[in-house]
Amino acid sequence: MPGTSKLKFNRLSDLAAAGQLKGKRVFIRADLNVPQDEAGNITEDTRIRASIPAIKVALEAGAAVMVTSHLGRPTEGEFKPEDTLAPVADRIAELMERKVPLISHWVDGGFELQPGDLVLLENCRLNKGEKKNNEELAQKIAKLCDVYVNDAFGTAHRAEATTHGMAKYAPVVCAGPLMAAELDALGKALTDPKRPLVAIVAGSKVSTKLTILKSLAEKVDQLIVGGGIANTFMLAAGLPIGRSLAEPDLVNEAKAIMDMMAKRGASVPIPVDVVVANELSPLARANRVASTDVQPDDMILDVGPKTSAELTSIVAHAGTIVWNGPIGVFEIDQFGGGTKMLAAAIAHSPAFSIAGGGDTLAAIAKYGIDKQVDYISTGGGAFLEFLEGKTLPAFAILSERAE
């Protein structure tokens, strides 16, 4: 994995344990980008709760703490009421049972902080130059702190002033507990995995995950494909797919991936049976057919029981499992059998498992296996880019500054 095999970084917990935060100004870049309703009420606060441990570590170590995050997609330099982190400040105050002042226009400093203080700095994407990783902005905000903490894995794939630029200039730079856990889990799954390494990559389109498939095809022992991606692979294997979602123009790419795997003695299991219907709706009648018997009017919406059993067996014997994407239209129960069986197999497998991506998290929640997956990645785009083998800017700078 480029950029990850020797990933060394400082940890906030180590600095705290060594007494290096006492009396220091600590700047935490968190990911507090939470969903809100029309009235600005937070509808789901997982990200806020996940950011509390870093704040507590710094406060308990005797630091003065500032936290910032982006929220939504504001226009730089133009404040609108819906862009404010005020509801987030209220929620942190509730969770920590203390006052959390929100500071606007913080870039030039001008606010006093004592050890034990905690403030939230207004939406960092309102600052001109944040998204373009402006050097001048990065240098200015780096002066606000003695220690910079990146605890926002969800933005690790973006080089912005608060995720990358200021990490070049802050006196001391480290990863917060959330970022550190993510780096540890990804490193364990892909840098030095216990074999066999099985990757499950599913989704509607091969095109959006082509680079991931190619990157994983060089590393994994088995590559399970699902959803529309599997239909394209079925086409590549010469099977009929009826009116199923697929990308015929990428059949050669799919063949190349299968050949690449075969040369290494690895494989891409192709479904032997599938669940079809003539429409995608909760009222559609689901029919199980052999992969060779898909009719011109059929839409493939899930894998069949024989394929599910085969995939379950692969997962049961895995050493490491990387899961990104449900293998059928699991939101509709009659097309969720494959994903449900796979989820159960992952839950019961002794393998180290890591899962990421919005639909995958929804499937994990639906089938109640969140406690049985070893690591659930919170960063959608960052998780995918890591799987592609890209070096993420936030990781790179943490690693560079640790040397």
Side-chain angles (χ1 to χ4, degrees):
M1 218 64 198
T4 50
S5 53
K6 297 274 188 310
L7 198 61
K8 292 189 174 48
F9 55 94
N10 297 321
R11 295 167 190 261
L12 178 67
S13 51
D14 292 345
L15 296 180
Q20 291 172 0
L21 301 181
K22 195 171 173 58
K24 296 286 198 275
R25 296 167 305 154
V26 173
F27 184 111
I28 301 174
R29 172 56 161 104
D31 181 1
L32 307 169
N33 187 25
V34 288
Q36 291 168 290
D37 63 18
E38 299 293 310
N41 301 306
I42 294 165
T43 53
E44 212 282 326
D45 71 349
T46 303
R47 285 178 171 167
I48 297 175
R49 283 183 285 113
S51 70
I52 301 293
I55 298 170
K56 282 187 171 164
V57 166
L59 287 172
E60 284 162 13
V65 183
M66 317 158 242
V67 183
T68 194
S69 171
H70 68 291
L71 180 72
R73 296 185 172 171
T75 306
E76 290 187 357
E78 292 176 33
F79 177 80
K80 295 189 201 69
E82 63 266 26
D83 299 330
T84 183
L85 287 175
V88 175
D90 292 344
R91 186 69 186 119
I92 294 173
E94 271 174 32
L95 290 166
M96 297 196 66
E97 298 178 342
R98 58 172 294 157
K99 272 172 66 175
V100 181
L102 178 68
I103 298 178
S104 317
H105 312 296
W106 49 270
V107 169
D108 294 305
F111 52 93
E112 288 298 309
L113 273 191
Q114 302 302 321
D117 286 353
L118 167 64
V119 297
L120 188 62
L121 307 178
E122 188 56 281
N123 196 334
C124 58
R125 282 207 189 142
L126 288 167
N127 301 328
K128 283 192 167 165
E130 166 68 18
K131 289 200 76 163
K132 291 216 159 77
N133 200 15
N134 177 282
E135 289 279 319
E136 198 183 333
L137 175 66
Q139 286 172 344
K140 204 183 266 189
I141 53 184
K143 289 196 176 92
L144 297 174
C145 69
D146 304 303
V147 179
Y148 165 82
V149 183
N150 192 335
D151 207 28
F153 175 75
T155 62
H157 57 312
R158 298 198 175 102
E160 296 180 354
T162 57
T163 63
H164 181 267
M166 71 179 289
K168 289 201 296 206
Y169 303 111
V172 177
V173 171
C174 65
L178 208 59
M179 178 71 98
E182 190 87 38
L183 289 173
D184 289 343
L186 288 165
K188 186 173 173 180
L190 289 165
T191 311
D192 188 20
K194 187 170 176 229
R195 302 269 173 186
L197 169 57
V198 175
I200 300 150
V201 181
S204 50
K205 293 183 169 176
V206 173
S207 50
T208 54
K209 294 193 178 169
L210 189 60
T211 37
I212 296 170
L213 292 166
K214 284 182 174 168
S215 170
L216 290 174
E218 294 169 2
K219 302 177 186 70
V220 303
D221 300 299
Q222 276 174 315
L223 181 60
I224 294 173
V225 290
I229 294 175
N231 299 339
T232 304
F233 276 81
M234 286 175 69
L235 264 186
L239 290 163
I241 61 161
R243 292 189 297 124
S244 309
L245 180 67
E247 292 171 288
D249 53 326
L250 290 177
V251 159
N252 287 336
E253 298 279 8
K255 281 183 180 161
I257 288 166
M258 290 196 279
D259 291 345
M260 198 191 300
M261 295 280 289
K263 278 195 184 104
R264 294 178 39 243
S267 72
V268 180
I270 302 295
V272 290
D273 60 344
V274 288
V275 176
V276 298
N278 51 17
E279 60 170 356
L280 176 54
S281 103
L283 304 173
R285 190 177 153 198
N287 296 307
R288 295 170 185 172
V289 298
S291 300
T292 47
D293 292 344
V294 176
Q295 297 305 305
D297 197 36
D298 284 339
M299 292 164 76
I300 300 170
L301 301 173
D302 193 13
V303 295
K306 284 182 183 162
T307 303
S308 290
E310 188 187 324
L311 300 183
T312 301
S313 168
I314 290 170
V315 165
H317 296 99
T320 307
I321 300 161
V322 178
W323 182 20
N324 175 241
I327 56 173
V329 186
F330 77 99
E331 296 87 348
I332 300 175
D333 285 345
Q334 63 266 43
F335 307 121
T339 304
K340 188 178 184 177
M341 267 184 84
L342 194 69
I346 291 168
H348 296 125
S349 173
F352 175 75
S353 54
I354 179 167
D359 291 343
T360 314
L361 303 193
I364 286 170
K366 178 169 182 172
Y367 302 121
I369 62 159
D370 51 314
K371 298 284 184 288
Q372 290 125 304
V373 176
D374 291 299
Y375 193 81
I376 296 173
S377 175
T378 50
F383 177 74
L384 293 181
E385 291 202 10
F386 190 97
L387 295 188
E388 284 180 32
K390 289 183 180 170
T391 300
L392 307 188
F395 292 8
I397 192 73
L398 284 174
S399 184
E400 210 174 291
R401 289 297 310 272
E403 283 164 14

